[in-house]
Amino acid sequence: MAVADLGRGRAAALGATYSAYLLIAVVVLFPLSWVLLGSFKHPSEIFAYPTTFFPRDFTLANYADVIRRTALPSYLLNSAIVTLASLVLTLAFASVAAYGFSRWDFPFKNTLLVVLLVLQLIPSSVNIVPYYVMMNGLGLLNTRTGVVAIYTATQIPFAIWILKGFFDTLPRSLDEAALIDGCSMFRAFVTIILPLSLPGLSAAGFLLFLSAWSEFLIPLVVANARDVAVMSVGLYTFFGADTTQYHYAFAASVLSTAPLVLAYLFAQEFLVSGLAAGAEKG
């Protein structure tokens, strides 16, 4: 009897767990599905009554129009330039710094790591006025260079923490063997450590890409001119106070999300392993 009760209890718990998972999936996926399917609807069908979830007639006109008639291509190009530039610079600086934190012991090492962690806890909205003043003083207001500089500076501490945790999992005997063979520390780092760190670099790179691509407040304040606006700011222009071009907004939202999906597909092989390895000694 006790065994049967235990089995029923486990089944009930399992059913409740899967029901919660299903509810969460519906809450998350329903808005995304509405946007995706809405991007294939004719504008008159979006607010048609009765409301339709699936388009009556699939059309690609929204995508063609949003590319031809709006500044969407410019927004996508600016986002790609800013995101990739900040990604490369962040990984370049952070990997060297993380390697130093991983391999050398020096005064206040742990204190510096804690300071880097605390910097990540400061919301970007707190620094938005100093960012504007600095970019204005440097003549970098409404430039992609200014946005790249801010992204790189703010993302380096986060990247250092991830990469240091991964470097800690690599045995120091690799460095020592390279030094015995005549390599300098930097050459050993570039030719041996970095290739072995591809999972960690991929995990950090994807998270940095996600953060930079989706950032809204910083580019809205320091680079909101139409010719340098990034995708997150560009999407904001489709929503007006009086009229909102929902068919354009839906199509643009799907196009802006596509690079994130592609980045995940590219990095997924290393994403879980890189984060797990970085957490072992992080």
Side-chain angles (χ1 to χ4, degrees):
M1 186 66 178
V3 175
D5 292 339
L6 183 60
R8 284 195 294 268
R10 289 180 177 177
L14 190 62
T17 301
Y18 280 107
S19 298
Y21 287 159
L22 179 61
L23 178 61
I24 294 173
V26 170
V27 171
V28 173
L29 295 179
F30 180 78
L32 298 178
S33 301
W34 187 271
V35 171
L36 177 61
L37 295 174
S39 67
F40 296 105
K41 292 181 179 180
H42 189 274
S44 61
E45 188 182 348
I46 294 177
F47 292 104
Y49 184 83
T51 302
T52 59
F53 186 70
F54 293 97
R56 296 191 182 97
D57 297 310
F58 276 84
T59 176
L60 296 176
N62 294 332
Y63 290 94
D65 290 343
V66 80
I67 292 174
R68 290 195 311 243
R69 299 181 181 181
T70 70
L72 181 70
S74 175
Y75 299 149
L76 286 172
L77 178 62
N78 290 332
S79 286
I81 293 174
V82 168
T83 301
L84 293 178
S86 62
L87 176 62
V88 171
L89 290 174
T90 301
L91 289 180
F93 289 117
S95 60
V96 175
Y99 183 66
F101 277 110
S102 175
R103 290 300 191 260
W104 282 286
D105 294 321
F106 49 87
F108 306 109
K109 171 183 172 179
N110 293 330
T111 302
L112 288 175
L113 287 173
V114 172
V115 170
L116 292 177
L117 182 61
V118 171
L119 290 176
Q120 293 302 115
L121 303 178
I122 301 176
S124 59
S125 57
V126 174
N127 298 320
I128 200 65
V129 173
Y131 289 155
Y132 182 89
V133 173
M134 284 190 296
M135 293 302 106
N136 187 41
L138 294 172
L140 296 178
L141 204 60
N142 281 322
T143 64
R144 289 189 290 258
T145 303
V147 180
V148 171
I150 294 175
Y151 283 1
T152 302
T154 55
Q155 291 178 339
I156 283 178
F158 174 72
I160 289 176
W161 266 93
I162 292 183
L163 294 177
K164 178 191 176 297
F166 189 86
F167 290 153
D168 285 345
T169 66
L170 300 178
R172 297 195 179 193
S173 59
L174 295 174
D175 311 64
E176 296 169 356
L179 293 176
I180 293 174
D181 289 339
C183 288
S184 63
M185 286 296 295
F186 183 76
R187 184 179 176 184
F189 169 67
V190 173
T191 60
I192 297 176
I193 301 301
L194 282 184
L196 294 175
S197 303
L198 186 58
L201 291 171
S202 298
F206 173 74
L207 296 176
L208 295 174
F209 183 92
L210 179 64
S211 175
W213 187 272
S214 59
E215 176 62 42
F216 173 72
L217 183 60
I218 292 175
L220 177 66
V221 173
V222 303
N224 54 17
R226 181 168 181 170
D227 57 334
V228 296
V230 297
M231 193 65 221
S232 57
V233 177
L235 284 175
Y236 182 69
T237 63
F238 290 109
F239 297 90
D242 300 323
T243 59
T244 299
Q245 300 169 308
Y246 282 100
H247 56 301
Y248 285 169
F250 286 165
S253 298
V254 174
L255 290 175
S256 68
T257 307
L260 298 177
V261 176
L262 294 176
Y264 172 76
L265 294 176
F266 176 77
Q268 66 173 340
E269 181 179 353
F270 304 106
L271 188 58
V272 176
S273 62
L275 291 175
E280 289 180 3
K281 296 185 179 180

